[in-house]
């Protein structure tokens, strides 16, 4: 599994003496940068790789000091708008959740400064990277916690592996990850890939328990989550993925949530080409339209976008494409609630019985009746034909023949006579 070259790289790293994390001296710490969301592209220009796009996110800035690539992560409280109408009090890195995407190239020497501005200790684990154990970031096992106010240094040589990895705390994980502390760590290959990629996206999957009317995720919740996010945003707040017809597209999914997510694409089939464990040989790749992204893993999928249109791309767990969910309520489908509605109205003026014919009537509820503060409707978002009745882990893959940039081109212009129609029209 490990090449001789990788072994040598490790030996060199060991010889350099940086085997354990240490506290930073004030004069060596790079400035703190909080990149603006979506402002950091184009970003990395590795050999033959396109700019990586973290939808609704950003790329981590760096500086080079004596040939070493230096990053400065700041663990801190952040406010994150999940979609218009809901802002959550989270924890993250450099003003964001997920934290900005770190990009490096195979073989590079990196130095990662971590400043802790949380009210409790933390650490950073580099998920999937084969680095010296003293840099692994597990509180108690490989280091003591980084205390509030301290800045520590992780330093290592990127081993002979490339692909999609992640970073997250390995200290009070239940709280710190529930609050959104996670990010991508992308290693680009030193040599150009055999098949050039035109569009490269990174999407982190997460779940949250933000009880209706509240602002802070509940870290004690184990299974009963109510918000499901792509890069800490819910539909319709999720950025659309714009590609040109014929583009070879890569989407990197990471999952640090508490559920597995089967992510489905319409109109295309993709192949899983890599996991956080390594690249998959071509003989081991098979086409599918849904990739299961288990907890604690990454999956890189690739496909040719050869079918123009507006294609749904979403988690196939139907409750994961809903916002502030109405789960746990009595099942009223098929129930005549007429008499009940009048009786309750005598106690609660304005009460509306709902759900007799399904849940679609509850969409746009916010327009009909005020909900709790900071709580999104269960299903929302409009397309060119009306309400899409989705939330959570949903976005749109926009495949276009005629675009000259990857700016959002608006809704698809369907060719005459190509849209489903009512039989009697
Ligand atoms: Cu899901």
């Amino acid at each position: 599994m490990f090449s001789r070259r990788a072994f040598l790289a490790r030996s060199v790293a060991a010889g350099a003496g940086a085997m354990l994390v240490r506290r930073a001296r004030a004069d060596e710490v790079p400035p703190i940068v909080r990149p603006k969301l979506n402002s950091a592209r184009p970003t990395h220009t590795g050999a033959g790789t396109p700019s990586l796009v973290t939808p609704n996110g950003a790329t981590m800035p760096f500086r080079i000091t004596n040939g070493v690539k230096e990053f400065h992560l700041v663990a801190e409280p952040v406010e994150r708008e999940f979609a218009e109408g809901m802002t959550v009090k989270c924890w993250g890195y450099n003003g964001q959740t997920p934290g900005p995407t770190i990009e490096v190239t195979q073989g590079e020497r990196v130095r990662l400064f971590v400043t802790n501005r949380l009210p409790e200790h933390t650490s950073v684990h580099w998920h999937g990277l084969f680095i010296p154990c003293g840099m692994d970031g597990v509180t108690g096992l490989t280091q003591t916690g980084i205390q509030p106010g301290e800045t520590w240094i992780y330093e290592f040589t990127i081993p002979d592996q490339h692909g999609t990895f992640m970073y997250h705390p390995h200290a009070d994980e239940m709280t710190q990850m529930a609050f959104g502390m996670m990010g991508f760590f992308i290693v680009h290959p030193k040599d150009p890939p055999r098949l050039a990629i035109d569009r490269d996206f990174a999407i982190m999957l997460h779940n949250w328990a933000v009880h209706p009317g509240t602002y802070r995720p509940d870290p004690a919740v184990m299974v009963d989550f109510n918000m499901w996010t792509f890069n800490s945003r819910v539909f319709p707040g999720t950025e659309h993925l714009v590609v040109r017809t014929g583009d070879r597209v890569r989407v990197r999914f990471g999952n640090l949530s508490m559920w597995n997510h089967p992510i489905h694409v319409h109109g295309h089939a993709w192949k899983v080409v890599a996991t956080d464990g390594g690249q998959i040989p071509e003989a081991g790749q098979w086409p599918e339209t849904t990739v299961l992204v288990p907890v604690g893993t990454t999956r890189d999928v690739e496909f040719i976008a050869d079918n123009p249109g507006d294609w749904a791309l979403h988690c196939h767990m139907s409750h994961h494409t809903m916002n502030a969910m109405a789960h746990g309520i009595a099942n009223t489908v098929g129930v005549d609630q007429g008499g009940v509605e009048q009786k309750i109205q005598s106690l609660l003026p304005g009460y509306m019985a709902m759900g007799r014919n399904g849940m679609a009537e509850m969409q746009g509820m916010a327009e009909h009746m005020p909900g709790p503060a900071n709580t999104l409707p269960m299903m929302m978002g409009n397309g060119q034909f009306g309400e899409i009745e989705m939330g959570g882990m949903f976005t749109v893959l926009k495949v276009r023949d005629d675009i000259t940039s990857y700016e959002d081109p608006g809704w698809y212009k369907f060719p005459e006579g190509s849209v489903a129609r009512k039989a009697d029209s």
Side-chain angles (χ1 to χ4, degrees):
M1 183 174 176
F2 305 113
S3 68
R4 179 170 168 74
R5 190 161 56 148
F7 176 76
L8 288 174
R10 286 169 181 223
S11 304
V12 169
M19 286 300 286
L20 287 172
V21 283
R22 62 175 173 89
R23 286 192 66 174
R25 296 190 317 272
D27 64 343
E28 61 183 340
V29 180
I32 295 169
V33 185
R34 293 184 177 83
K36 277 194 193 140
L37 294 173
N38 290 327
S39 68
R41 65 180 83 147
T43 54
H44 191 277
T45 49
T49 54
S51 296
L52 179 76
V53 176
T54 308
N56 300 111
T59 297
M60 180 73 83
F62 62 88
R63 74 177 185 189
I64 304 284
T65 302
N66 298 326
V68 179
K69 201 175 220 177
E70 293 186 331
F71 298 88
H72 190 176
L73 282 169
V74 182
E76 60 187 357
V78 304
E79 295 212 334
R80 177 65 163 178
E81 184 191 66
F82 278 18
E84 199 184 332
M86 184 180 192
T87 298
V88 181
K89 292 180 184 300
C90 304
W91 289 359
Y93 299 95
N94 298 54
Q96 296 171 25
T97 168
T101 297
I102 294 172
E103 289 183 70
V104 300
T105 300
Q106 221 176 340
E108 263 182 333
R109 183 82 178 163
V110 296
R111 191 174 293 135
L112 299 127
F113 294 79
V114 178
T115 298
N116 183 7
R117 294 202 171 154
L118 300 173
E120 67 168 357
H121 76 177
T122 191
S123 70
V124 185
H125 167 60
W126 317 99
H127 174 117
L129 288 170
F130 309 146
I131 54 177
C133 190
M135 294 294 150
D136 204 41
V138 181
T139 307
L141 185 65
T142 66
Q143 65 171 95
T144 57
I146 304 173
Q147 297 304 315
E150 292 181 347
T151 298
W152 284 48
I153 297 173
Y154 295 87
E155 181 169 343
F156 46 85
T157 299
I158 301 299
D160 195 17
Q161 57 179 153
H162 63 88
T164 305
F165 310 99
M166 301 181 283
Y167 64 92
H168 64 81
H170 230 294
D172 190 13
E173 284 180 63
M174 181 188 104
T175 305
Q176 297 189 10
M177 290 174 68
F179 283 4
M181 296 191 71
M182 54 192 65
F184 278 105
F185 195 115
I186 306 292
V187 180
H188 294 286
K190 209 163 18 187
D191 304 316
R194 197 174 62 78
L195 299 168
I197 300 292
D198 301 296
R199 292 290 271 162
D200 195 356
F201 300 100
I203 298 176
M204 188 69 79
L205 313 173
H206 200 35
N207 54 215
W208 314 71
V210 187
H211 305 306
T214 70
Y215 293 79
R216 195 178 288 285
D218 181 351
V221 168
M222 191 166 75
V223 290
D224 210 7
F225 300 97
N226 63 358
M227 301 302 288
W228 309 87
T229 54
F230 283 170
N231 288 338
S232 303
R233 293 276 284 179
V234 297
F235 184 75
T238 48
E239 190 178 328
H240 297 168
L241 311 183
V242 181
V243 308
R244 198 176 286 125
T245 308
D247 277 354
R248 175 169 283 272
V249 182
R250 177 194 291 137
V251 189
R252 307 162 184 266
F253 295 105
N255 184 2
L256 290 172
S257 77
M258 294 269 284
W259 284 81
N260 301 325
H261 301 290
I263 307 295
H264 178 56
V265 65
H266 292 205
H268 298 80
W270 52 30
K271 289 180 175 177
V272 181
V273 301
T275 75
D276 43 340
Q279 304 293 311
I280 300 173
E282 222 175 312
Q285 303 171 5
W286 63 86
E288 52 188 0
T289 65
T290 301
V291 56
L292 182 65
V293 189
V295 176
T297 67
T298 70
R299 291 288 183 273
D300 292 2
V301 297
E302 288 182 15
F303 63 102
I304 304 284
D306 56 5
N307 198 355
D310 283 344
W311 301 104
L313 192 159
H314 62 95
C315 182
H316 220 297
M317 294 272 209
S318 55
H319 275 236
H320 296 186
T321 50
M322 290 163 58
N323 297 328
M325 296 187 297
H327 63 289
I329 60 170
N331 184 359
T332 54
V333 176
V335 176
D336 178 358
Q337 304 161 79
V340 177
E341 186 173 57
Q342 282 160 10
K343 281 183 182 162
I344 295 179
Q345 271 174 1
S346 70
L347 297 166
L348 277 177
Y351 172 82
M352 290 163 63
M354 285 185 294
R356 180 176 182 178
N357 302 313
M359 295 296 165
E361 65 187 82
M362 293 170 80
Q363 79 186 29
M365 235 169 70
E367 292 155 35
H368 301 303
M369 53 196 292
N374 202 44
T375 303
L376 296 172
M378 187 168 74
M379 304 180 278
M380 55 195 293
N382 292 310
Q384 59 178 313
F385 297 101
E387 287 164 328
I388 296 178
E389 300 180 354
M390 286 279 151
M393 293 175 156
F394 183 96
T395 189
V396 181
L397 170 71
K398 292 180 166 174
V399 184
R400 295 288 186 278
D401 292 332
D402 47 1
I403 49 173
T404 53
S405 84
Y406 290 122
E407 295 303 310
D408 193 324
W411 299 117
Y412 184 58
K413 293 181 184 61
F414 289 91
E416 185 77 25
S418 71
V419 176
R421 61 188 165 84
K422 219 161 114 178
D424 59 1
S425 64

